[in-house]
Amino acid sequence: MLKEHTREEIKEVIYQVLSENLFVPVGVSNRHVHVDEATCDILFGKGHGLTVKAPVKQHGQFAANETVDLISENGKIERVRILGPIRSKNQVEVSLADARQLRLDVPIRDSGDHVQTPGITLVGAEGSVHMEDGVIVAARHIHVPSDLAKKYHIVDGQMAKVDIGGQRGLLYDHVLLRVREDYVLEMHIDVEEANAAGIKNGDYVRVIL
Ligand SMILES: [Zn+2]
């Protein structure tokens, strides 16, 4: 016979579970490009800049109206969206299937790590730019705001596992935790990782610290 629980007891258990587990909403990234100012000037004309199509969850970032075609030696992907604002370095983020379509050997890397990554040509409305390197498959990661990091004793650069429930439930290993004051809590995975787990934008997953 199950013991009857009072409303207060149940509430207490729920609070306990919630405070021990970090639940994070998922943001699914499709292929996209970051550009520096010089590149933006060539692709879309000097001083044109990037125009906002829609803000994304991280503060100050947005999907731009501007798109480029990606041209490799033996492949092509058209109308790839640029993610603003302007950055200090060009970077192209694709999925593994995209890499195959481009016939490029693209490593899985943290953002900004371009050592031994392939290059590609960006073609915009007004011009084209060849990148010597900077094409990556972005490593999955979680953006953690500093105050929450403190609460859960998370340090920048720490790795975690993420448990994804549901019909296609799986356990993602090697998930990088990135901590910064202005981050909004969100796990970034690409379309293929999301599809593998049967999850979509805004779904919640559980971080195992
Ligand atoms: Zn991210």
Side-chain angles (χ1 to χ4, degrees):
M1 178 84 180
L2 284 172
K3 177 176 170 269
E4 288 272 337
H5 292 276
T6 67
R7 220 182 153 78
E8 282 311 307
E9 280 173 332
I10 292 166
K11 241 173 152 177
E12 182 55 37
V13 170
I14 289 170
Y15 281 138
Q16 223 172 49
V17 169
L18 285 178
S19 64
E20 282 167 10
N21 289 279
L22 177 56
F23 289 92
V24 175
V26 166
V28 182
S29 309
N30 202 347
R31 67 182 77 98
H32 63 273
V33 177
H34 298 286
V35 292
D36 63 25
E37 196 165 357
T39 300
C40 191
D41 281 349
I42 295 168
L43 293 175
F44 305 106
K46 190 148 181 65
H48 177 283
L50 297 173
T51 59
V52 180
K53 179 182 165 71
V56 297
K57 210 166 176 184
Q58 297 302 317
H59 297 302
Q61 296 200 33
F62 59 90
N65 290 302
E66 289 72 23
T67 62
V68 289
D69 293 347
L70 305 179
I71 315 279
S72 63
E73 206 167 318
N74 295 303
K76 178 177 180 176
I77 298 178
E78 293 179 326
R79 288 184 298 278
V80 178
R81 196 152 302 283
I82 294 184
L83 230 69
I86 296 280
R87 293 226 182 155
S88 59
K89 200 153 87 161
N90 293 331
Q91 180 166 281
V92 172
E93 300 181 35
V94 296
S95 72
L96 287 170
D98 293 336
R100 211 161 293 133
Q101 189 177 332
L102 293 164
R103 295 202 163 70
L104 291 176
D105 191 8
V106 184
I108 296 164
R109 290 288 174 78
D110 294 334
S111 186
D113 178 6
H114 294 177
V115 179
Q116 288 180 339
T117 57
I120 204 156
T121 299
L122 310 177
V123 180
E126 297 288 327
S128 66
V129 170
H130 179 71
M131 293 167 53
E132 284 302 324
D133 57 17
V135 182
I136 65 167
V137 174
R140 53 184 170 238
H141 57 273
I142 300 175
H143 294 264
V144 186
S146 302
D147 52 348
L148 201 72
K150 204 178 229 174
K151 188 177 162 202
Y152 285 90
H153 307 290
I154 292 168
V155 294
D156 185 49
Q158 187 179 332
M159 303 296 270
K161 289 180 168 55
V162 171
D163 185 17
I164 296 167
Q167 197 177 6
R168 296 187 106 180
L170 52 75
L171 191 70
Y172 274 134
D173 203 354
H174 312 299
V175 182
L176 176 70
L177 300 174
R178 296 168 59 186
V179 178
R180 220 168 74 181
E181 203 72 48
D182 62 338
Y183 277 162
V184 177
L185 183 67
E186 191 177 31
M187 179 181 188
H188 282 169
I189 54 177
D190 71 22
V191 171
E192 289 164 22
E193 293 175 300
N195 287 342
I199 50 175
K200 56 187 192 312
N201 251 335
D203 286 351
Y204 277 77
V205 295
R206 186 170 65 92
V207 180
I208 302 168
L209 296 164

